[in-house]
Amino acid sequence: MVLELCNGGDFFAFVQKHRGISNQNMCGKFFAQLLSAVSHMHRLGIYHLDLSLEQMMISESSSSSSSSSSSQPDRDLKLIDFGMARFRLDSNKQPSSSSSSSSSGEEKQASSSSPSSSSPRLFPGINLGKPGYKPPEMWKERPFDGEKVDVFCMGVVLALMCLGWPPFATSLAKEYFLVARGKLRGLMGRYGLHRQADAYTNSGLLDLITRMLAEDFTKRPTLAQIIEHPWVRRYGAGPLLEELKSNYQQQQQQLLYHFHQSADLRYLQEIGEVLAQQALLRYCPLSLHLQ
């Protein structure tokens, strides 16, 4: 077996070493890479469900454009460990392993009593993920939206990146409810981080984190909406849009093909979300996750 060399170590150690990434340009670059990787997975109908700093590795390479020995290396994030990943419920790529068959009875039972039958993104309640990254609905083992679980985990990752410390232990802690209600700035003030809190507020970073960590998963933004957020467009959109624009034509063709070929009403809501936001059509409509 041959694996890619990730000579920069894991991302958790990197963030811990630097006590957070206060440089928003660097933070935005890393977040854009994570957003691009997760978007690619979702387009293939796969949800990671266990995103965390520990599940990302860093690949370092020296910049060929600079001869200075003191120049910073180019760093790229690599997403790993898909042990808890799940296929979209309508995907024809569902695994036939024993792990999937053992839970088939549970899924069938849940589908009759939950809204999972009306949305291919909604899964029956199951307890997955790390305690510090797990959204409230997974603690309660309620039906969960695969995309919105990944969005929540990415929100925790983004908070850890910019702060260097976890704003809450779990999404059951009282600190979490403060963050979910837009009180992260006040929480930072408790640690004397007033200047940093002001900078993150003015740039829109705290607003993005608050939205991604919403207690009600239906109120969390889609990946397409995250791409349109002012903070992402300012600090992370550059490298991201270059990739998305190259896939724009293909995604539009997939949308039209799926709309004409499928009579499945479960897709109408997702298509409507994109069509209702005409500005998003300039970019890749990632919230569709079309095959």
Side-chain angles (χ1 to χ4, degrees):
M1 179 181 294
V2 179
L3 300 177
E4 182 177 357
L5 175 63
C6 293
N7 52 348
D10 69 81
F11 197 41
F12 176 83
F14 179 87
V15 172
Q16 189 177 46
K17 176 182 177 181
H18 294 273
R19 298 183 179 181
I21 306 172
S22 58
N23 185 317
Q24 295 191 67
N25 288 305
M26 181 182 294
C27 189
K29 174 186 175 183
F30 283 133
F31 185 71
Q33 292 176 359
L34 173 61
L35 183 56
S36 178
V38 175
S39 299
H40 178 70
M41 288 180 56
H42 287 192
R43 288 199 301 271
L44 297 177
I46 303 171
Y47 305 108
H48 193 284
L49 305 182
D50 192 27
L51 295 169
S52 67
L53 293 177
E54 296 89 340
Q55 307 290 43
M56 288 173 265
M57 304 294 292
I58 298 177
S59 176
E60 291 185 347
S61 60
S62 57
S63 176
S64 59
S65 60
S66 176
S67 58
S68 174
S69 58
S70 62
S71 62
Q72 293 293 326
D74 293 330
R75 297 186 178 95
D76 295 311
L77 285 184
K78 306 292 181 179
L79 190 58
I80 64 171
D81 195 348
F82 300 89
M84 295 187 183
R86 294 291 186 274
F87 282 87
R88 181 186 171 111
L89 293 182
D90 65 340
S91 173
N92 57 8
K93 300 176 183 179
Q94 291 281 0
S96 57
S97 62
S98 59
S99 61
S100 63
S101 61
S102 63
S103 60
S104 60
E106 179 184 353
E107 293 181 359
K108 290 179 180 178
Q109 182 179 1
S111 64
S112 61
S113 58
S114 71
S116 61
S117 58
S118 63
S119 173
R121 298 188 324 207
L122 205 60
F123 292 78
I126 190 172
N127 203 333
L128 295 174
K130 296 178 177 61
Y133 296 83
K134 194 182 306 183
E137 63 270 19
M138 297 194 81
W139 282 107
K140 301 172 184 176
E141 297 191 11
R142 294 177 178 175
F144 62 88
D145 184 314
E147 178 187 19
K148 298 306 180 70
V149 168
D150 281 349
V151 166
F152 186 94
C153 295
M154 291 169 65
V156 178
V157 167
L158 183 56
L160 286 169
M161 273 198 293
C162 67
L163 297 176
W165 46 272
F168 50 83
T170 72
S171 58
L172 300 177
K174 62 180 182 180
E175 289 81 7
Y176 162 70
F177 295 101
L178 291 175
V179 173
R181 293 164 187 165
K183 305 293 179 125
L184 181 53
R185 180 174 182 171
L187 201 58
M188 294 177 67
R190 294 182 183 179
Y191 297 93
L193 303 174
H194 301 286
R195 182 176 299 180
Q196 192 176 21
D198 289 341
Y200 291 168
T201 300
N202 294 335
S203 67
L205 177 55
L206 294 190
D207 176 75
L208 175 59
I209 292 174
T210 299
R211 292 175 184 273
M212 296 176 71
L213 296 179
E215 182 180 3
D216 183 352
F217 71 84
T218 63
K219 295 182 179 179
R220 293 173 205 152
T222 63
L223 295 182
Q225 290 169 336
I226 293 173
I227 292 171
E228 279 291 286
H229 191 276
W231 186 84
V232 176
R233 296 185 67 178
R234 179 177 179 182
Y235 293 100
L240 180 63
L241 290 184
E242 183 177 349
E243 175 190 349
L244 297 183
K245 288 180 180 180
S246 66
N247 295 328
Y248 173 74
Q249 188 65 35
Q250 179 182 357
Q251 289 293 320
Q252 290 301 94
Q253 291 175 353
Q254 288 176 332
L255 170 61
L256 293 174
Y257 175 81
H258 189 87
F259 182 79
H260 288 296
Q261 295 295 323
S262 174
D264 195 336
L265 297 180
R266 292 178 296 178
Y267 293 96
L268 293 183
Q269 180 181 0
E270 296 177 69
I271 294 174
E273 289 176 359
V274 177
L275 296 180
Q277 303 174 58
Q278 294 297 327
L280 295 181
L281 294 179
R282 292 176 296 154
Y283 308 104
C284 176
L286 298 177
S287 63
L288 297 179
H289 320 309
L290 301 181
Q291 300 295 318

